[in-house]
Amino acid sequence: MSKALKTLSTQLCFAASLLLTVPAAFANTTSPLITVGSISTDGSQSNSAFRLSIDSEQTESELTTQSDIQLYVDVVPQQAHRDTVASIYAVVIAGGQYFKLNEEGAYQPWDGSMEDLTPFANDQRLTSTSRYTLLDGRLSDVGSYSYFVAYKVQGESTLHYTPDPAQFSVAEFSGLLDQSDSVAANTFEAEVESQIVQAKCIFCHAEGGSARNSSLQFQRDNTASALNNFATLSAFIEEKGSELLLSKASGSVSHTGGVQLDQNSDEYRALQKVVDQINAQDEPAYYTFSGSANTATPRQVSFFTEVVLEPRDLTLRRATLLMQSRLPTDEERNSVDSDASLRIALRRLMQGPNFRKFVVTSVNDRLLTEGTDNPLNTAYNHFLKLHNLKARENLADTNSQIEWKIREYLTRASGELVAHVIENELPYSEILTADYMMMNKTMNTWMEGTASFSADEGDDIFKPSVVQGYYYGNDLELVEFHENSNSIYRAVGEPLKEFPHAGLLTDFGFISRYPTTATNRNRARARWTFYHFLGIDIEKSSQRPTDEASLSDRNNPTMNNPNCTVCHALLDPVAGAFQNWDESNFYRGSGNGADALDGFYKYPPDGSDSPYQEGDLWYRDMRAPGLFDTKITERDTTLRALGELIADEPLFLTASAAFWWSPVFGKPLLDRPAVETDNGYAAKLAAYSAQQKEIERLAEYLEQGMNAKDMLVEMFMSPWFSSESVSGSSYDSAHLESKLGSDQLLTPKQFANKTRALTGVAWRSGRSPDGELWSEIEQLSVLLGGIDSEAVTQRAIELTPTMTSILLTAATESACIAVAREFAQPAANRRLLDLVEATTLPLLEAQISQPVESQAYEDWKTVSLTASLAPGAKTVKIEFLNPYCDFDGQNCVEQRKLYVDSLSVTAPSGMRGIVRGNDPRLKSSYGGPNPDCYNHGDKHRLCFNGHLSLDFQAAEAGEYTVRAIVSAEQTPIRGGLVEMGLSINAKENLLSANTENSRAIREQISLLFNKLHGTSRNPDSEEVTTVYEIFAAALETEQASDGSAWEFENCSTWRDGFIWDDLLSEEEIATFREPHPEFNYFLTDWNILGPIQGKILADPFSSKYAWTAVMMYMLSHYDYLHE
Amino acid sequence: MNSRRNFIKLASLAPLAASFPAMSSAATPFTGKFVVTVQAVGAWDVTCFCDPKVNQRGEEEITQWSKSDEVQSAGNIRYAPFANNENFFKKHAQKMLVINGVDALTNSHSIGETVNWSGRTALGFPTLTALYSAINAPSLPMSYVTFGGFNRTENLIRATQLGWSVDNISGLLKPNFQNDRPMMDSTLWSLIRSVHKNEAQSVIDAAQITAGNRSARQAYLSSLSNMDPLSDFADVLPKDNEWEPRGANGNLRQQAQFAIAAFKADVSVTADLSQGGFDTHEDNDNGQTDSLSDLSDGIDYLWDAAEDAGIADRLLVIVGSDFSRTPYYNSAQGKDHWAVGSYIIMEKGKDYTNRVVDGSDEGQNALKIDPTTLERSGFGTKMVTSHVHDALRDYLGLSRSGITQIFPFNNSEKFTFFS
């Protein structure tokens, strides 16, 4: 695979440049490195001198990647060269490579030849001492640096240079990038943070404030707010300029907040001072020495400048597996030759059933709807048809599992809605405003939806549908009373005419996942609405009250106590928008559908007065429904109104990008670090800032047409998806904090899907007679790093020994099944092993297999094999391919036996050698005390198993004929004939064999790397050789086995519930499998299936065992468990 | 035998396999304490448990049980006559240090979990148990086991998350085994894994991969290096019908069962157990009755299992919650969030137990406590979670570690809970 590596342009992301602006906290010191006399290239006398020194805050022995360094040389030319014009040269050895300084101040590789040596300064008039700067900035790379300097007088060819280098080392910076010590930061904290930001700006420029969409977003007062707000201010100046900031503050340009600072005020002057100090900060240049001409230029290093992306075809592969659970087709692969064509290919992946499954899983990862207990309680009669069905089932003690099915489908409906919106390229805002929900056939039937389904459409198909069968209690009449909510009702009124669907906001799974109570009053629903759809984490946006007075305030503190209103002013209006959804998750579930208010509020049990008035839909002692400053006056479809308000917010765009971050990139978004003195704070902040920058960029793609595919395509194109390697370590700590990298640990489902798609194996999965798919992966989800949407809600992103152990169990259990599947099919139909057959053994030169149609001992038959051979040592084998013993515990009731009378080899010249069956040169397999073959009578050999082999020397090239005279005892009860193989093998070292077969095996292994790992390994590569040796070791182990160890025929095919469905026709399957008459599983007739299985698990050449070892290697490899 | 020759050749490809002494699973057996936290998720009502409060004349009702019952004692431990408390406290009081009146400084669930189990409100600190495992037994295969709840590790160690599916695990920890015999030749399988390790190490050493990719590969490498003891561990895990039944609010008994088995088998040293059901905004007393019963039952089972396993003398259990519940009932007979709560620390045969630090008043407000005498004092300090964590770090010998020192608490005083 050619590695067409793409480097990011430096301007792509410049998120964390602020961190680099660390002005000197104390004076520089000068460290002399070396003073050395010169020598010349032509051996002539040279009396010049060079002094190299370093200026830095640190001494020469303490330099780190964060040290500001000025390296300079003083050239003291010999007397004769003073006042001449010369060129000056500098060469550095870094990372074992040579670089030369060029006229632009950049370092570029030098090949070591004089022809390639170019000066960094020309036309320099030499004085008694001339100073030149060789470095002015920071060194990105850890390591030692050796500098040589030279000059050449104009018109001469002799170079005068330093014979010994000036040397210094740079260590990794391990401390805290403490920008809080900067002059600007100190001024900000002392004069701006409390006096201006917290006193004025914070009322609008903060989460939930009226200027929440401005790029200037401050943190409310907390332990880290001064530092974080300084960073925010600096970023704003970096992006928009200081003039705009000062103009807005003083009101000289349009500022929604009006004049905040008079230009003659102390506050304005303080702000001006900070701005000036920020602008005065120099950003250091960074030098990297990577050996590439493209990267040797001194430049600013940001989060992504040293990052190298994976090749496009790898991005396509990973995205295809993620979204489509398959590998890209050849057509797809061939279509991608540019970023533009990759974008097109990625977009085409965003459709179809597998894409919808990807979306459903992704949405659940965020909304956790699968963790809800009961999204639609059928004990209530609002969905009349469903309630009556369930009640009748309960009364009749029957169970159609309808409640569980509806529950499962409802927890999936949110994901189906998002998938529907994305796949059909509807405005993404429709996820919050859709006036329908997604239903499958069962839901549509029992919830009485408006969608239409054909007879052949199953419950995996969801369509937009509107509830038509929802009743208020007053519109129902009791028909039969039964206890335990099993009464039967009939409709006497009309169902709700317009069910107030509002996308995810009214999704049954979402509503019930965050239930409300009489005191919670929908605040949990509001909190998660803010979090998922506006990106505001209210719990973290402001510190909670800590003083007892606030906590014990009983005077409606959420309305009146500033300690509480700081959050509740934001939260409670959104809670109000959920006013029509009660604590049982129903729309106005009270008898006549009047409201959804709790009874404790309306009718206090202690008889106290309630502010409730008839007709109220919301609590009078809470804020009115709305979002931010906008009230919601709509009464019935409040959530749709809320959805529309949210969709109009720019924060919805960034929240949407954040929503998809983990599903696409496989790593969580970072929280903003809160405490500046924390270990690694600077790295965390840099990583967080880079992520936020990317979110803003992605949001812009969504904003253009509100088409989520536009954003998702860019996510897959993002370096956050495809960062593979780095050329420097400047941002290593920040990269680690964000786990930046292209490798994603497969989720349990992705692992199962990949295994099914690539190997065919459905590990511990299958289908029940009723068509329901089952998989142990569901139960194992958390153990494999997945979530249960209840207690465990965050996916593991790295392996633990436990996860690895289970995945290796899956690998070893799947390996033999995968091999069995492959060899059971013609090569053209195989997924993986299409270059080899079971007889493709490294040393095999010719082979024939055939039944021995002998009826008894001494009913001799001749089996012959003719092959063209090269000269060399050979081995002929007589192989017993289908040994059988019907063992009753003591003896074989019947047993196949193979008798050998003789074996002869005829050379091209006609010379013929023959050995009798009992000749000791004819060696039995296992050869020990219990061989497979025994002498029988005076001349013959009797085999129960294994093989007999004979070594011979092929002295000449040409056609050889091998003949075996054999007879057999058959097994009439079992049926079939003794199968025998006759083969000729090269007698060579298995590992170093270079036969046609060994080359085919290597080619096959190379192909496996490509298909299973997405890596390109040449057949002669070290990696393929290693796996070939695994193959060879397994082959020899099995061939030398005494039969007591695990054999390929012991492979547990039952671990794969689809193996027979995939390999056999329905008619064949019907001969041995039928549904259990009572329970939902299959009955199997092993008398019929046994021989079928025996055939595909037969491994007479031990090659399937060997390929199993290879597959174990492949499926347990890091590259298989990650994509 | 030829195959041996091939193994030898393969083995020669695997010299790095022996170069990870820190990751070796053959480390010296751990002989220290086993630390378990039991997280009552959702905020327990300590007035019905370990910080019993009775109704005060002229004040709002704080507990309904106190209308007809009195505070009970077991040893020096006072408890509420509620749920299954009597059996629990009578049996375990001698092991208990109850610290009442600890201010969580929040009434938000997520921050409450953070502050109670990491010691501070801001994210960025690991749990005590993660810290303990990282310092004492980083190479055990499941050194730090969690079942949900708050389990941040701050990259010190990788937590083994188990959740509800703990009873599915035993049949899955023996790769390459089928019916108790190896599928692939054991030596060859071992060499395949060595090849994996060497390849992973080579890629890591190349230093050109991104930090995230490097970290993921290191996780794979250390997993391969440390997983072997899990095979034997699988043999001692309960079989299908030997698992304890699940409760209404969780599977605390199963969690305890697993943790003790893991400690006993030397594959783990810490575990965070958790149980939900405590967020009783409505019908507080019934909800807390169910949840506290399950909680005390699970802890009781934990100790019994530890005794059976012979490791009770090495067990330290910390029980806590997000915070507590209001010292009054709301209109739905529920109780809402209240920042002042409790910890119970349990250990067998120690002088510091059978003791209560009485840090809350009759209205469940935090009181000042003298850090040395642990008595109420006007000159004392109100206890916060970092005081408890700081003392636990000292007691468990973690404070001396450089790892601990990068997560410092800035308390101006130290409470001598364990002397």
Side-chain angles (χ1 to χ4, degrees), chain A residues 771-782:
Chain A
E772 198 75 23
L773 300 175
W774 56 267
S775 174
E776 286 187 36
I777 286 284
E778 301 290 337
Q779 282 86 50
L780 305 180
S781 182
V782 171

Side-chain angles (χ1 to χ4, degrees), chain A residues 42 70 117 135 252 305 421 482 560 564 737 830 871 889 1039 1072 1078:
Chain A
D42 63 359
Q70 190 180 41
L117 185 63
L135 272 175
S252 59
T305 43
V421 169
H482 298 281
N560 304 318
C564 305
E737 289 293 341
R830 296 179 199 162
Q1039 287 176 341
F1072 61 82
E1078 196 175 347

